[in-house]
Structures are given as C-alpha cells and as structure tokens.
C-alpha cells in the first residue's frame, strides 16, 4: 500500500510592498522611536496601529526597505558614525579662548572658528546706553545634539548593537517541547 503524501506547494515569491507599506517605511525613518505613529501617519487606523506596526516591523520586506531608506539617507546627509564622532571630538577640543579677545570680551562672530559658530543656540545684544552693551551667547549642548543625531539616523555611534535571532517560531518551540516530553515518557 502506497501512502500518498500531499505535494508541497512551491514556495511563493514574496510580493512587493504596497503603497501604504512604503509610506509606513518612509514615516518610520523620520521617527524610528515610535512605530505606532509611523503606522498612523501612513494611513493605518489609530485603533489598530500598534498591532499593525508590530506586524509590519516583523515583515522581512519592510525591514529590508527601511534599511535601504536609512542607507540612502545616510549617503545623502554624509552622516556616519565616523562623522558624528569627529564632530564630537572637534567640539570637545574647542577652546573658549578662541572666541574671546585679550580683554575677555567676546569677539565678533565672524572672527569665531567654525566649530563655535555652529554651536550657537541663541544670542542677545542689548545696548543700554552709549557706553554699556550687554552680549549674551547661549551655545548648544553639542554632546546631546550629536547623541540624538547619532541615534536618529541609525549611525549607531552611541548605541550598542544586539543581534537577536527571531527565526524560531512558536510552532518550532512547541514541537521541540513535545519531542522532549515524549523522550521523557519513553525512558
């Protein structure tokens, strides 16, 4: 007696992502810290956006597309871990004496080195009378800015990488547990 086994269906080629999925990928790279907001911005219903975002992020096609988009953006902006770290080192090496004259007064901004000019968050100049001028310069917290840039564009200058294998399905785990249980009852 011959047992007929059902034929395995040929592996289906993955279908390309649709427009809504592409919008999700585009929105995700704008704000990778909030997948739910990316799903809502892409047009998914807000009530199910969290679940849908999780499903999308588990899809290898979505993962691949997000990686492509991030690579393209990193090339466009010329942002890399090396670049972030170089800017950090430049900022740390910047000497406050570079923006002060011999009297301790602030030099005119055009005389500042580039690293200092790019570090201005705000400034105020108030003329009280002919002899008194108040100058107030607030510099950016460059360390914080570079940390955020490094994390946002996925250059991973400040993030430890953790490799997680998610290829083991729940079904595989259950089958393995059944096998162990059967082996235990046979002995």
């Amino acid at each position: 007696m011959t047992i007929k086994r059902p034929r395995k269906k040929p592996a289906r080629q993955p279908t390309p992502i649709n427009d809504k999925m592409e919008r999700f990928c585009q929105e995700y790279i704008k704000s990778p810290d909030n997948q739910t907001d990316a799903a809502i911005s892409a047009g998914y219903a807000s009530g199910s956006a969290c679940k849908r975002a999780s499903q999308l992020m588990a899809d290898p096609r979505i993962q691949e597309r997000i990686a492509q988009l991030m690579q393209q953006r990193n090339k466009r902006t010329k942002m890399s871990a090396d670049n972030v770290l170089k800017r950090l080192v430049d900022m740390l090496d910047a000497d406050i004496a570079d923006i002060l004259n011999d009297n301790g007064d602030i030099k005119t901004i055009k005389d500042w080195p580039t690293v200092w000019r790019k570090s201005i968050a705000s400034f105020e100049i108030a003329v009280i009378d002919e002899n008194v001028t108040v100058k107030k310069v607030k510099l950016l917290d460059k360390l914080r800015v570079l940390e955020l840039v490094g994390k946002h564009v996925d250059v991973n200058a400040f993030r430890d990488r953790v490799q997680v294998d998610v290829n083991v399905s729940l079904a595989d785990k259950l089958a393995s547990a059944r096998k162990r249980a059967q082996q235990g009852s046979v002995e």
Side-chain angles (χ1 to χ4, degrees):
M1 179 163 112
T2 308
I3 299 174
K4 285 190 176 181
R5 293 186 184 180
R7 284 189 187 179
K8 281 188 175 179
K9 292 182 182 178
R12 198 173 75 165
Q13 292 296 324
T15 58
I17 63 174
N18 62 35
D19 289 342
K20 198 181 250 191
M21 293 168 144
E22 175 66 22
R23 281 194 310 273
F24 172 79
C25 295
Q26 298 284 341
E27 292 298 326
Y28 176 80
I29 65 167
K30 290 178 188 176
S31 181
D33 293 332
N34 197 329
Q35 298 169 5
T36 303
D37 283 351
I40 292 169
S41 296
Y44 292 96
S46 58
S48 61
C50 182
K51 180 179 178 182
R52 189 65 181 134
S54 180
Q55 291 169 341
L56 287 166
M57 291 304 292
D59 186 330
R61 298 170 302 164
I62 300 296
Q63 293 170 4
E64 183 179 331
R65 182 61 181 143
I66 288 171
Q68 288 171 349
L69 291 170
M70 287 183 167
Q71 264 185 335
Q72 290 169 0
R73 183 182 55 198
N74 291 350
K75 283 181 184 178
R76 278 192 316 273
T77 62
K78 297 182 175 112
M79 189 59 65
S80 67
D82 288 346
N83 182 275
V84 170
L85 294 174
K86 180 177 179 346
R87 288 181 61 189
L88 178 59
V89 169
D90 289 347
M91 183 195 70
L92 292 174
D93 287 345
D95 185 356
I96 192 74
D98 293 341
I99 64 172
L100 302 175
N101 63 24
D102 293 336
N103 299 333
D105 294 330
I106 298 173
K107 292 180 183 178
T108 58
I109 291 178
K110 68 180 174 86
D111 295 329
W112 288 18
T114 304
V115 69
W116 285 102
R117 288 194 308 263
K118 290 182 176 182
S119 299
I120 297 174
S122 65
F123 65 91
E124 295 175 29
I125 300 173
V127 178
I128 298 173
D129 62 40
E130 294 174 13
N131 298 322
V132 179
T133 302
V134 177
K135 295 179 185 178
K136 183 178 180 181
V137 178
K138 181 178 180 183
L139 300 173
L140 292 174
D141 179 357
K142 287 302 234 180
L143 181 60
R144 181 69 179 137
V145 169
L146 287 171
E147 181 181 5
L148 291 172
V149 168
K151 287 179 179 177
H152 181 67
V153 298
D154 197 32
V155 295
N156 295 310
F158 304 100
R159 188 184 314 165
D160 293 330
R161 286 196 179 250
V162 177
Q163 188 70 26
V164 178
D165 184 9
V166 293
N167 292 327
V168 179
S169 70
L170 180 57
D172 293 336
K173 288 180 182 180
L174 288 172
S176 178
R178 282 189 198 108
K179 186 175 178 181
R180 284 192 311 270
Q182 288 175 346
Q183 288 173 348
S185 64
V186 172
E187 294 173 2

